[in-house]
Amino acid sequence: MVATNDNILSLLENVMDPEVPVLSILDLGIVRKVDAENNTIVITPTYSGCPAMQTIEDDIRKILADNGLENITIETTLTPAWTTDWLSESGRKKLREYGIAPPVGTSKDKNVLFGDEKQVSCPQCRSGNTKLISQFGSTACKALYKCEDCLEPFDYFKCI
Amino acid sequence: MEKQEALIEYCLRLGDNSLILGHRISEWCGHGPILEEDIALTNIALDLVGQARTLLTYAGEVEGKGRTEDDLAYLRQVREYRNCLLLEQENGDFARTIVRQFLFDSYHVPFLEALRSSTDTTLAAFAEKSLKEATYHLRHSSEWMIRLGDGTEESKTRVQGALNELWMYSGELFETDEVESVLQKEKIAPNMDAIKKTWTTNVAGILELATLTQPEAGWMQSGGRTGKHSELLGYILAELQYVQRSYPGCEW
């Protein structure tokens, strides 16, 4: 395969987040730059301690190598800091179908210490009658909620 | 003191704060009082260790002697660690863990807010990223302070006791010496006075909501930032560094 930006992007579409395997790293917005001319891809972590970053880097390298693209440098940048605003529309839809409620609102209103709790819809029955169980869920990027109507517990992708 | 030397020291201080607190909280893994708290504490530990990785990596880069984050985390001696004494204090019961966390988070949020304007682009990017995480941590520890303080007689007694014991370690978070003053001149490090003021107001506000009594201002413990630690840090390092000390260079 010829190393063009479009070719690389189409390959990256197939690299999934190891913790939310329905989302590609493009859906997640963690690929910040593809520069085929200089053989560079720039990615950014969702959270400082995200243990998936190494796996993602390895997966990128593997899929490129499998398609004959080697010697590509993968750089990690912290700036600008990743925000859930970069999650694509198709990413949000895939999350909901997978049973994870996508982030509500934009990252602008996240800094309030005891702000109004946002209304998160249940990804199973779509009811808005849900309750926060814990700000911290199965991975750094998720919180735990429970639906008061269908009684299903579910993950919410935190807005940051 | 040269700027480079000050910057290495500064990154080690910040990095060690996150590393040692992150390690302490990770000791709760599998022992949390309820499942959700076990998960919350380990998530917070993960954020802190991630922050430590960025800072220790950067300290190694600025030093320019080829030391990596791993060399700095696993191969320094106890007197070479630069964390504040508060962060090496034992977990104790859940109340004590929450008080230690609350005192730190209340400092961490306004500190990172200010560090975002650092003229050092790596530190500014680090602050922007970590602030999002620290905001969640502060919300978590503040809510627990209120719940425990305004909870049962038992929870109130425990949280008030922990607050009285740990208060004397809070002053060190705001200390400054030559390291800070060299970096403040270059607008790399923020001025600590405004941060201390925010801390004082916010802590007083939460303690009031929690119906807790703020301990009286008194003598403050000091020393961790210059390597003079309590014996507790040695025990932490014995566990933290065990694998690298026993099997040097081991990787997996």
Side-chain angles (χ1 to χ4, degrees):
Chain A
M1 187 179 270
V2 186
T4 65
N5 285 354
D6 285 349
N7 281 346
I8 292 176
L9 280 170
S10 69
L11 290 176
L12 295 184
E13 188 67 61
N14 298 308
V15 177
M16 297 295 151
D17 179 326
E19 283 168 349
V20 192
V22 288
L23 283 188
S24 80
I25 56 173
L26 296 184
D27 290 328
L28 254 180
I30 64 173
V31 177
R32 300 317 301 158
K33 195 169 136 195
V34 173
D35 182 354
E37 211 167 297
N38 296 305
N39 284 329
T40 310
I41 294 172
V42 181
I43 57 176
T44 189
T46 53
Y47 284 76
S48 300
C50 179
M53 284 311 277
Q54 190 58 48
T55 311
I56 290 173
E57 218 181 296
D58 294 344
D59 289 349
I60 295 176
R61 237 179 269 287
K62 181 167 187 312
I63 201 164
L64 294 176
D66 287 349
N67 287 276
L69 304 177
E70 303 209 9
N71 302 322
I72 292 198
T73 312
I74 301 170
E75 285 172 14
T76 302
T77 180
L78 288 184
T79 183
W82 182 83
T83 152
T84 33
D85 300 349
W86 295 346
L87 203 64
S88 70
E89 261 320 304
S90 84
R92 284 164 202 264
K93 195 164 157 271
K94 286 183 203 166
L95 271 180
R96 206 176 291 115
E97 284 163 2
Y98 189 59
I100 298 174
V104 176
T106 67
S107 64
K108 294 278 182 295
D109 46 27
K110 71 187 184 296
N111 273 342
V112 190
L113 188 52
F114 295 115
D116 291 336
E117 269 186 31
K118 287 179 210 145
Q119 202 200 46
V120 175
S121 305
C122 169
Q124 306 293 342
C125 73
R126 304 291 159 92
S127 160
N129 185 17
T130 59
K131 191 177 139 200
L132 173 72
I133 297 176
S134 173
Q135 288 285 5
F136 298 89
S138 55
T139 66
C141 52
K142 291 181 228 127
L144 279 178
Y145 272 75
K146 179 185 160 191
C147 177
E148 300 277 58
D149 282 337
C150 74
L151 304 179
E152 274 294 311
F154 64 91
D155 271 338
Y156 165 64
F157 208 99
K158 290 198 285 220
C159 188
I160 67 163
Chain B
M1 183 182 276
E2 293 290 322
K3 181 185 136 191
Q4 185 200 17
E5 190 189 339
L7 186 55
I8 297 167
E9 188 73 9
Y10 194 63
C11 291
L12 290 178
R13 285 177 179 176
L14 301 181
D16 288 345
N17 276 352
S18 292
L19 178 68
I20 298 303
L21 181 59
H23 183 83
R24 266 295 186 223
I25 316 171
S26 78
E27 293 171 1
W28 274 103
C29 185
H31 301 280
I34 49 171
L35 182 60
E36 286 78 5
E37 267 322 295
D38 202 297
I39 293 171
L41 290 169
T42 39
N43 262 295
I44 295 169
L46 191 62
D47 286 341
L48 289 166
V49 173
Q51 293 166 12
R53 291 187 60 183
T54 303
L55 291 164
L56 295 184
T57 300
Y58 188 47
E61 280 170 18
V62 175
E63 187 187 49
K65 290 182 183 161
R67 286 208 284 181
T68 65
E69 49 178 318
D70 286 340
D71 294 331
L72 289 168
Y74 295 124
L75 300 176
R76 275 181 297 157
Q77 301 293 337
V78 67
R79 292 289 289 258
E80 295 173 285
Y81 275 78
R82 294 292 182 257
N83 58 283
C84 292
L85 297 172
L86 173 68
L87 308 166
E88 66 200 48
Q89 297 308 305
E90 286 169 306
N91 286 338
D93 56 15
F94 183 69
R96 190 177 161 98
T97 292
I98 288 297
V99 169
R100 184 186 61 201
Q101 193 68 33
F102 170 68
L103 295 174
F104 177 74
D105 294 340
S106 303
Y107 140 85
H108 209 200
V109 167
F111 173 75
L112 292 170
E113 273 170 351
L115 190 67
R116 286 184 300 174
S117 319
S118 173
T119 53
D120 182 295
T121 50
T122 304
L123 287 181
F126 159 79
E128 186 77 44
K129 177 92 220 148
S130 307
L131 177 60
K132 291 165 182 264
E133 297 156 0
T135 306
Y136 268 101
H137 303 171
L138 177 59
R139 190 181 301 154
H140 172 259
S141 57
S142 301
E143 283 175 356
W144 271 114
M145 285 299 288
I146 297 168
R147 200 178 303 182
L148 294 174
D150 195 19
T152 63
E153 203 178 315
E154 176 75 14
S155 70
K156 182 169 189 156
T157 309
R158 286 185 184 226
V159 78
Q160 183 69 58
L163 186 64
N164 296 346
E165 270 182 48
L166 292 174
W167 190 257
M168 64 178 169
Y169 296 102
S170 63
E172 196 185 8
L173 295 167
F174 306 96
E175 279 181 11
T176 53
D177 59 16
E178 202 189 346
V179 170
E180 276 80 11
S181 61
V182 166
L183 298 178
Q184 279 166 1
K185 262 187 221 126
E186 305 269 345
K187 303 244 185 288
I188 291 173
N191 184 303
M192 295 306 290
D193 297 342
I195 295 166
K196 175 83 194 272
K197 224 171 138 192
T198 309
W199 183 88
T200 307
T201 313
N202 291 352
V203 166
I206 296 294
L207 293 186
E208 199 188 331
L209 285 172
T211 68
L212 291 167
T213 311
Q214 182 167 322
E216 278 176 36
W219 184 74
M220 288 286 170
Q221 293 276 3
S222 171
R225 286 158 34 92
T226 49
K228 297 181 195 75
H229 294 280
S230 66
E231 70 175 89
L232 296 168
L233 186 60
Y235 289 96
I236 295 177
L237 297 187
E239 189 178 302
L240 179 76
Q241 301 186 334
Y242 173 78
V243 174
Q244 282 305 323
R245 297 293 184 189
S246 303
Y247 306 93
C250 142
E251 283 184 51
W252 66 87

Short mmCIF file of all heavy atoms in Angstrom, two decimals, chain A residues 45-49 51 78-79 81-83 110-114 133-137 139-140 144 158-160, chain B residues 36 39-40 43-44 46-47 50-51 54 125-126 128-130 132-133 135-140 142-143 146 206:
data_model
loop_
_atom_site.label_atom_id
_atom_site.label_comp_id
_atom_site.label_asym_id
_atom_site.label_seq_id
_atom_site.Cartn_x
_atom_site.Cartn_y
_atom_site.Cartn_z
N PRO A 45 -3.59 10.79 24.66
CA PRO A 45 -4.33 9.90 25.58
C PRO A 45 -5.64 10.54 26.05
O PRO A 45 -5.73 11.77 26.13
CB PRO A 45 -3.37 9.73 26.76
CG PRO A 45 -2.52 10.95 26.75
CD PRO A 45 -2.42 11.40 25.32
N THR A 46 -6.62 9.69 26.35
CA THR A 46 -7.87 10.22 26.91
C THR A 46 -7.62 10.66 28.36
O THR A 46 -8.03 11.72 28.77
CB THR A 46 -8.97 9.15 26.87
OG1 THR A 46 -8.48 7.97 27.49
CG2 THR A 46 -9.39 8.85 25.44
N TYR A 47 -6.96 9.80 29.12
CA TYR A 47 -6.60 10.11 30.52
C TYR A 47 -5.11 9.86 30.69
O TYR A 47 -4.55 9.00 30.03
CB TYR A 47 -7.38 9.22 31.50
CG TYR A 47 -8.82 9.67 31.65
CD1 TYR A 47 -9.73 9.38 30.66
CD2 TYR A 47 -9.23 10.41 32.75
CE1 TYR A 47 -11.05 9.82 30.76
CE2 TYR A 47 -10.53 10.85 32.86
CZ TYR A 47 -11.44 10.55 31.87
OH TYR A 47 -12.73 10.99 31.97
N SER A 48 -4.49 10.60 31.63
CA SER A 48 -3.04 10.48 31.84
C SER A 48 -2.61 9.02 32.05
O SER A 48 -1.59 8.60 31.56
CB SER A 48 -2.60 11.27 33.06
OG SER A 48 -2.90 12.62 32.89
N GLY A 49 -3.41 8.29 32.83
CA GLY A 49 -2.98 6.93 33.17
C GLY A 49 -3.64 5.88 32.30
O GLY A 49 -3.67 4.71 32.68
N PRO A 51 -4.33 2.93 30.44
CA PRO A 51 -3.45 1.79 30.16
C PRO A 51 -3.59 1.28 28.73
O PRO A 51 -2.84 0.42 28.31
CB PRO A 51 -3.90 0.74 31.18
CG PRO A 51 -5.25 1.15 31.62
CD PRO A 51 -5.49 2.58 31.26
N LEU A 78 0.25 15.79 24.58
CA LEU A 78 -0.74 16.06 25.63
C LEU A 78 -1.53 17.32 25.30
O LEU A 78 -2.49 17.66 25.98
CB LEU A 78 -0.04 16.26 26.97
CG LEU A 78 0.54 15.02 27.63
CD1 LEU A 78 1.11 15.39 28.99
CD2 LEU A 78 -0.53 13.96 27.82
N THR A 79 -1.08 18.02 24.26
CA THR A 79 -1.73 19.30 23.99
C THR A 79 -2.17 19.41 22.53
O THR A 79 -1.40 19.01 21.65
CB THR A 79 -0.80 20.48 24.37
OG1 THR A 79 -1.49 21.70 24.15
CG2 THR A 79 0.49 20.50 23.57
N ALA A 81 -5.38 19.12 25.15
CA ALA A 81 -5.84 17.97 25.92
C ALA A 81 -7.11 17.38 25.32
O ALA A 81 -8.00 18.11 24.90
CB ALA A 81 -6.09 18.41 27.36
N TRP A 82 -7.15 16.07 25.30
CA TRP A 82 -8.29 15.36 24.74
C TRP A 82 -9.58 15.76 25.46
O TRP A 82 -9.58 15.97 26.68
CB TRP A 82 -8.09 13.85 24.88
CG TRP A 82 -9.19 13.02 24.29
CD1 TRP A 82 -9.32 12.66 22.98
CD2 TRP A 82 -10.30 12.44 24.98
NE1 TRP A 82 -10.45 11.89 22.82
CE2 TRP A 82 -11.07 11.75 24.02
CE3 TRP A 82 -10.73 12.44 26.30
CZ2 TRP A 82 -12.24 11.07 24.34
CZ3 TRP A 82 -11.89 11.77 26.63
CH2 TRP A 82 -12.64 11.09 25.66
N THR A 83 -10.63 15.88 24.71
CA THR A 83 -11.93 16.18 25.30
C THR A 83 -12.98 15.33 24.62
O THR A 83 -12.82 14.94 23.45
CB THR A 83 -12.28 17.69 25.17
OG1 THR A 83 -13.71 17.83 25.14
CG2 THR A 83 -11.73 18.29 23.88
N LYS A 110 -17.91 21.38 32.61
CA LYS A 110 -17.48 20.26 33.46
C LYS A 110 -16.85 20.67 34.78
O LYS A 110 -16.70 19.88 35.68
CB LYS A 110 -16.49 19.38 32.71
CG LYS A 110 -15.18 20.10 32.56
CD LYS A 110 -14.21 19.39 31.71
CE LYS A 110 -12.89 20.11 31.69
NZ LYS A 110 -12.92 21.43 31.10
N ASN A 111 -16.47 21.94 34.89
CA ASN A 111 -15.62 22.30 36.01
C ASN A 111 -16.34 22.69 37.30
O ASN A 111 -15.73 23.06 38.27
CB ASN A 111 -14.68 23.45 35.61
CG ASN A 111 -13.42 22.89 34.97
OD1 ASN A 111 -13.14 21.70 35.15
ND2 ASN A 111 -12.68 23.69 34.25
N VAL A 112 -17.64 22.58 37.28
CA VAL A 112 -18.40 22.95 38.48
C VAL A 112 -18.27 21.85 39.51
O VAL A 112 -18.46 20.68 39.20
CB VAL A 112 -19.88 23.14 38.09
CG1 VAL A 112 -20.65 23.76 39.24
CG2 VAL A 112 -20.00 23.98 36.85
N LEU A 113 -17.94 22.23 40.73
CA LEU A 113 -17.71 21.20 41.74
C LEU A 113 -18.99 20.45 42.09
O LEU A 113 -19.05 19.23 42.04
CB LEU A 113 -17.10 21.84 43.00
CG LEU A 113 -16.64 20.85 44.06
CD1 LEU A 113 -15.72 19.79 43.47
CD2 LEU A 113 -15.94 21.58 45.18
N PHE A 114 -20.03 21.17 42.43
CA PHE A 114 -21.29 20.48 42.70
C PHE A 114 -22.37 21.04 41.78
O PHE A 114 -23.35 21.62 42.22
CB PHE A 114 -21.73 20.67 44.15
CG PHE A 114 -20.79 20.04 45.12
CD1 PHE A 114 -20.06 20.81 46.02
CD2 PHE A 114 -20.61 18.67 45.14
CE1 PHE A 114 -19.19 20.22 46.90
CE2 PHE A 114 -19.73 18.08 46.02
CZ PHE A 114 -19.01 18.86 46.91
N ILE A 133 -24.51 6.30 40.15
CA ILE A 133 -24.08 5.43 41.25
C ILE A 133 -22.68 5.81 41.69
O ILE A 133 -22.39 5.91 42.87
CB ILE A 133 -24.11 3.94 40.83
CG1 ILE A 133 -25.55 3.52 40.49
CG2 ILE A 133 -23.57 3.06 41.94
CD1 ILE A 133 -25.66 2.11 39.97
N SER A 134 -21.79 6.02 40.73
CA SER A 134 -20.42 6.41 41.07
C SER A 134 -19.81 7.18 39.91
O SER A 134 -20.05 6.85 38.75
CB SER A 134 -19.57 5.17 41.38
OG SER A 134 -18.22 5.55 41.54
N GLN A 135 -19.02 8.21 40.25
CA GLN A 135 -18.33 8.99 39.22
C GLN A 135 -17.25 8.17 38.53
O GLN A 135 -16.70 8.58 37.54
CB GLN A 135 -17.66 10.23 39.85
CG GLN A 135 -18.61 11.30 40.29
CD GLN A 135 -19.16 12.10 39.13
OE1 GLN A 135 -18.91 11.80 37.98
NE2 GLN A 135 -19.95 13.12 39.44
N PHE A 136 -16.90 7.03 39.12
CA PHE A 136 -15.80 6.24 38.58
C PHE A 136 -16.31 4.86 38.18
O PHE A 136 -16.96 4.19 38.97
CB PHE A 136 -14.68 6.11 39.61
CG PHE A 136 -14.10 7.45 39.97
CD1 PHE A 136 -14.64 8.21 41.00
CD2 PHE A 136 -13.03 7.98 39.25
CE1 PHE A 136 -14.12 9.45 41.32
CE2 PHE A 136 -12.50 9.22 39.57
CZ PHE A 136 -13.04 9.96 40.61
N GLY A 137 -16.05 4.47 36.96
CA GLY A 137 -16.57 3.20 36.46
C GLY A 137 -15.49 2.20 36.13
O GLY A 137 -14.38 2.26 36.65
N THR A 139 -13.62 1.78 33.62
CA THR A 139 -12.38 2.34 33.11
C THR A 139 -12.35 3.82 33.47
O THR A 139 -13.38 4.38 33.86
CB THR A 139 -12.25 2.22 31.57
OG1 THR A 139 -13.26 3.05 30.98
CG2 THR A 139 -12.43 0.80 31.09
N ALA A 140 -11.19 4.45 33.29
CA ALA A 140 -11.03 5.85 33.69
C ALA A 140 -12.05 6.75 33.01
O ALA A 140 -12.47 7.76 33.56
CB ALA A 140 -9.62 6.31 33.35
N LEU A 144 -20.58 5.16 36.56
CA LEU A 144 -21.62 4.14 36.69
C LEU A 144 -22.98 4.78 36.93
O LEU A 144 -23.12 5.60 37.84
CB LEU A 144 -21.31 3.24 37.89
CG LEU A 144 -20.31 2.11 37.75
CD1 LEU A 144 -20.17 1.41 39.09
CD2 LEU A 144 -20.78 1.11 36.70
N LYS A 158 -17.89 9.56 30.53
CA LYS A 158 -17.81 10.86 31.20
C LYS A 158 -17.44 12.00 30.26
O LYS A 158 -16.61 11.82 29.37
CB LYS A 158 -16.74 10.84 32.29
CG LYS A 158 -17.09 10.00 33.46
CD LYS A 158 -16.23 10.34 34.66
CE LYS A 158 -14.83 9.82 34.61
NZ LYS A 158 -14.38 9.32 35.92
N CYS A 159 -18.03 13.14 30.55
CA CYS A 159 -17.74 14.32 29.75
C CYS A 159 -16.51 15.03 30.35
O CYS A 159 -16.54 15.44 31.50
CB CYS A 159 -18.97 15.23 29.84
SG CYS A 159 -18.90 16.61 28.75
N ILE A 160 -15.44 15.11 29.59
CA ILE A 160 -14.29 15.88 30.11
C ILE A 160 -13.78 16.82 29.04
O ILE A 160 -14.03 16.64 27.88
CB ILE A 160 -13.10 15.03 30.63
CG1 ILE A 160 -12.40 14.25 29.51
CG2 ILE A 160 -13.55 14.11 31.73
CD1 ILE A 160 -11.03 13.75 29.90
N GLU B 36 -17.98 0.03 44.54
CA GLU B 36 -17.86 1.30 43.79
C GLU B 36 -16.68 2.12 44.29
O GLU B 36 -16.03 2.80 43.52
CB GLU B 36 -19.14 2.14 43.92
CG GLU B 36 -20.32 1.63 43.11
CD GLU B 36 -21.02 0.46 43.76
OE1 GLU B 36 -20.65 0.09 44.90
OE2 GLU B 36 -21.93 -0.11 43.13
N ILE B 39 -13.39 0.70 43.08
CA ILE B 39 -13.16 1.10 41.69
C ILE B 39 -12.77 2.58 41.61
O ILE B 39 -11.86 2.96 40.88
CB ILE B 39 -14.43 0.83 40.84
CG1 ILE B 39 -14.67 -0.67 40.75
CG2 ILE B 39 -14.31 1.44 39.45
CD1 ILE B 39 -16.00 -1.04 40.13
N ALA B 40 -13.45 3.41 42.40
CA ALA B 40 -13.15 4.85 42.38
C ALA B 40 -11.71 5.09 42.81
O ALA B 40 -10.96 5.82 42.15
CB ALA B 40 -14.12 5.61 43.29
N ASN B 43 -9.22 3.97 40.23
CA ASN B 43 -9.24 4.90 39.10
C ASN B 43 -8.41 6.15 39.40
O ASN B 43 -7.67 6.64 38.56
CB ASN B 43 -10.67 5.36 38.80
CG ASN B 43 -11.31 4.59 37.67
OD1 ASN B 43 -10.88 4.67 36.54
ND2 ASN B 43 -12.35 3.84 37.98
N ILE B 44 -8.58 6.67 40.61
CA ILE B 44 -7.84 7.87 41.01
C ILE B 44 -6.34 7.55 41.06
O ILE B 44 -5.51 8.33 40.60
CB ILE B 44 -8.36 8.41 42.36
CG1 ILE B 44 -9.82 8.88 42.20
CG2 ILE B 44 -7.50 9.53 42.90
CD1 ILE B 44 -10.54 9.17 43.49
N LEU B 46 -4.81 5.39 39.30
CA LEU B 46 -4.36 5.26 37.91
C LEU B 46 -4.08 6.64 37.31
O LEU B 46 -3.07 6.85 36.65
CB LEU B 46 -5.44 4.54 37.11
CG LEU B 46 -5.08 4.07 35.70
CD1 LEU B 46 -3.96 3.06 35.74
CD2 LEU B 46 -6.32 3.45 35.04
N ASP B 47 -4.99 7.59 37.54
CA ASP B 47 -4.77 8.96 37.05
C ASP B 47 -3.47 9.51 37.62
O ASP B 47 -2.67 10.12 36.89
CB ASP B 47 -5.91 9.89 37.49
CG ASP B 47 -7.21 9.66 36.72
OD1 ASP B 47 -7.16 9.07 35.63
OD2 ASP B 47 -8.27 10.08 37.22
N GLY B 50 -0.40 7.95 36.20
CA GLY B 50 -0.24 8.46 34.83
C GLY B 50 0.38 9.85 34.84
O GLY B 50 1.27 10.15 34.04
N GLN B 51 -0.06 10.70 35.76
CA GLN B 51 0.51 12.04 35.87
C GLN B 51 1.99 11.95 36.26
O GLN B 51 2.83 12.68 35.73
CB GLN B 51 -0.25 12.85 36.92
CG GLN B 51 -1.69 13.16 36.50
CD GLN B 51 -2.54 13.66 37.66
OE1 GLN B 51 -2.03 13.99 38.72
NE2 GLN B 51 -3.84 13.72 37.45
N THR B 54 4.25 11.24 33.26
CA THR B 54 4.56 12.42 32.43
C THR B 54 5.65 13.26 33.09
O THR B 54 6.61 13.68 32.43
CB THR B 54 3.29 13.28 32.25
OG1 THR B 54 2.27 12.48 31.67
CG2 THR B 54 3.56 14.48 31.36
N ALA B 125 0.84 21.89 29.25
CA ALA B 125 0.03 20.82 28.65
C ALA B 125 -0.32 19.77 29.69
O ALA B 125 -1.46 19.28 29.76
CB ALA B 125 0.79 20.18 27.49
N PHE B 126 0.66 19.45 30.53
CA PHE B 126 0.42 18.48 31.61
C PHE B 126 -0.70 18.98 32.53
O PHE B 126 -1.60 18.22 32.92
CB PHE B 126 1.72 18.29 32.42
CG PHE B 126 1.48 17.75 33.79
CD1 PHE B 126 1.23 16.40 33.99
CD2 PHE B 126 1.47 18.60 34.89
CE1 PHE B 126 0.96 15.91 35.26
CE2 PHE B 126 1.22 18.11 36.15
CZ PHE B 126 0.96 16.76 36.34
N GLU B 128 -3.15 21.17 31.90
CA GLU B 128 -4.43 21.19 31.20
C GLU B 128 -5.07 19.80 31.23
O GLU B 128 -6.26 19.64 31.50
CB GLU B 128 -4.19 21.62 29.75
CG GLU B 128 -5.41 21.84 28.92
CD GLU B 128 -6.10 23.15 29.23
OE1 GLU B 128 -5.38 24.16 29.36
OE2 GLU B 128 -7.34 23.16 29.35
N LYS B 129 -4.24 18.80 30.97
CA LYS B 129 -4.71 17.42 30.94
C LYS B 129 -5.12 16.95 32.34
O LYS B 129 -6.20 16.41 32.54
CB LYS B 129 -3.56 16.55 30.42
CG LYS B 129 -3.81 15.08 30.37
CD LYS B 129 -4.35 14.67 29.03
CE LYS B 129 -5.43 13.63 29.14
NZ LYS B 129 -6.42 13.75 28.11
N SER B 130 -4.24 17.16 33.31
CA SER B 130 -4.46 16.62 34.65
C SER B 130 -5.57 17.32 35.40
O SER B 130 -6.20 16.74 36.28
CB SER B 130 -3.16 16.73 35.46
OG SER B 130 -2.11 16.14 34.75
N LYS B 132 -8.47 18.11 34.38
CA LYS B 132 -9.74 17.44 34.13
C LYS B 132 -9.90 16.27 35.10
O LYS B 132 -11.00 15.99 35.59
CB LYS B 132 -9.78 16.91 32.70
CG LYS B 132 -9.87 17.98 31.62
CD LYS B 132 -9.53 17.36 30.26
CE LYS B 132 -9.56 18.38 29.14
NZ LYS B 132 -10.84 18.39 28.42
N GLU B 133 -8.80 15.58 35.35
CA GLU B 133 -8.84 14.42 36.25
C GLU B 133 -8.97 14.86 37.70
O GLU B 133 -9.79 14.34 38.46
CB GLU B 133 -7.56 13.58 36.05
CG GLU B 133 -7.46 13.03 34.63
CD GLU B 133 -6.05 12.71 34.17
OE1 GLU B 133 -5.08 12.90 34.93
OE2 GLU B 133 -5.91 12.27 33.03
N THR B 135 -10.23 17.47 38.92
CA THR B 135 -11.55 18.01 39.22
C THR B 135 -12.49 16.89 39.68
O THR B 135 -13.25 17.04 40.64
CB THR B 135 -12.13 18.73 37.99
OG1 THR B 135 -11.18 19.69 37.55
CG2 THR B 135 -13.43 19.43 38.30
N TYR B 136 -12.42 15.76 39.00
CA TYR B 136 -13.22 14.59 39.42
C TYR B 136 -12.79 14.09 40.80
O TYR B 136 -13.61 13.70 41.62
CB TYR B 136 -13.08 13.46 38.40
CG TYR B 136 -14.14 13.49 37.32
CD1 TYR B 136 -13.88 13.99 36.07
CD2 TYR B 136 -15.43 13.02 37.59
CE1 TYR B 136 -14.86 14.02 35.08
CE2 TYR B 136 -16.41 13.04 36.63
CZ TYR B 136 -16.13 13.54 35.37
OH TYR B 136 -17.10 13.57 34.41
N HIS B 137 -11.48 14.11 41.04
CA HIS B 137 -10.98 13.63 42.33
C HIS B 137 -11.50 14.51 43.46
O HIS B 137 -11.91 14.02 44.51
CB HIS B 137 -9.45 13.63 42.36
CG HIS B 137 -8.80 12.83 41.27
ND1 HIS B 137 -7.45 12.87 41.03
CD2 HIS B 137 -9.32 11.98 40.35
CE1 HIS B 137 -7.16 12.07 40.01
NE2 HIS B 137 -8.27 11.52 39.59
N LEU B 138 -11.45 15.82 43.23
CA LEU B 138 -11.88 16.76 44.27
C LEU B 138 -13.37 16.62 44.55
O LEU B 138 -13.80 16.67 45.71
CB LEU B 138 -11.54 18.21 43.86
CG LEU B 138 -12.00 19.30 44.83
CD1 LEU B 138 -11.39 19.11 46.22
CD2 LEU B 138 -11.63 20.69 44.31
N ARG B 139 -14.13 16.43 43.51
CA ARG B 139 -15.58 16.25 43.72
C ARG B 139 -15.82 15.00 44.57
O ARG B 139 -16.60 15.02 45.51
CB ARG B 139 -16.28 16.12 42.36
CG ARG B 139 -17.78 16.18 42.45
CD ARG B 139 -18.41 16.02 41.10
NE ARG B 139 -17.98 17.04 40.17
CZ ARG B 139 -17.96 16.88 38.84
NH1 ARG B 139 -18.33 15.74 38.31
NH2 ARG B 139 -17.59 17.87 38.05
N HIS B 140 -15.09 13.95 44.24
CA HIS B 140 -15.24 12.69 44.97
C HIS B 140 -14.86 12.84 46.44
O HIS B 140 -15.63 12.47 47.33
CB HIS B 140 -14.36 11.63 44.27
CG HIS B 140 -14.25 10.33 45.00
ND1 HIS B 140 -13.16 10.00 45.77
CD2 HIS B 140 -15.10 9.28 45.09
CE1 HIS B 140 -13.34 8.79 46.28
NE2 HIS B 140 -14.51 8.34 45.89
N SER B 142 -14.55 15.60 48.22
CA SER B 142 -15.38 16.58 48.92
C SER B 142 -16.73 15.97 49.31
O SER B 142 -17.22 16.17 50.42
CB SER B 142 -15.66 17.80 48.02
OG SER B 142 -14.46 18.41 47.64
N GLU B 143 -17.30 15.22 48.39
CA GLU B 143 -18.60 14.59 48.70
C GLU B 143 -18.48 13.63 49.88
O GLU B 143 -19.34 13.58 50.75
CB GLU B 143 -19.13 13.84 47.47
CG GLU B 143 -19.72 14.79 46.44
CD GLU B 143 -20.16 14.08 45.15
OE1 GLU B 143 -19.93 12.86 45.01
OE2 GLU B 143 -20.71 14.78 44.29
N ILE B 146 -18.22 15.45 53.23
CA ILE B 146 -19.53 15.89 53.71
C ILE B 146 -20.34 14.70 54.23
O ILE B 146 -20.92 14.75 55.30
CB ILE B 146 -20.30 16.62 52.57
CG1 ILE B 146 -19.52 17.87 52.16
CG2 ILE B 146 -21.71 16.97 53.01
CD1 ILE B 146 -19.99 18.51 50.89
N ILE B 206 -16.10 23.38 52.59
CA ILE B 206 -16.50 21.96 52.65
C ILE B 206 -16.59 21.50 54.10
O ILE B 206 -17.53 20.79 54.49
CB ILE B 206 -15.51 21.07 51.86
CG1 ILE B 206 -15.53 21.43 50.37
CG2 ILE B 206 -15.80 19.59 52.08
CD1 ILE B 206 -16.83 21.12 49.64
#
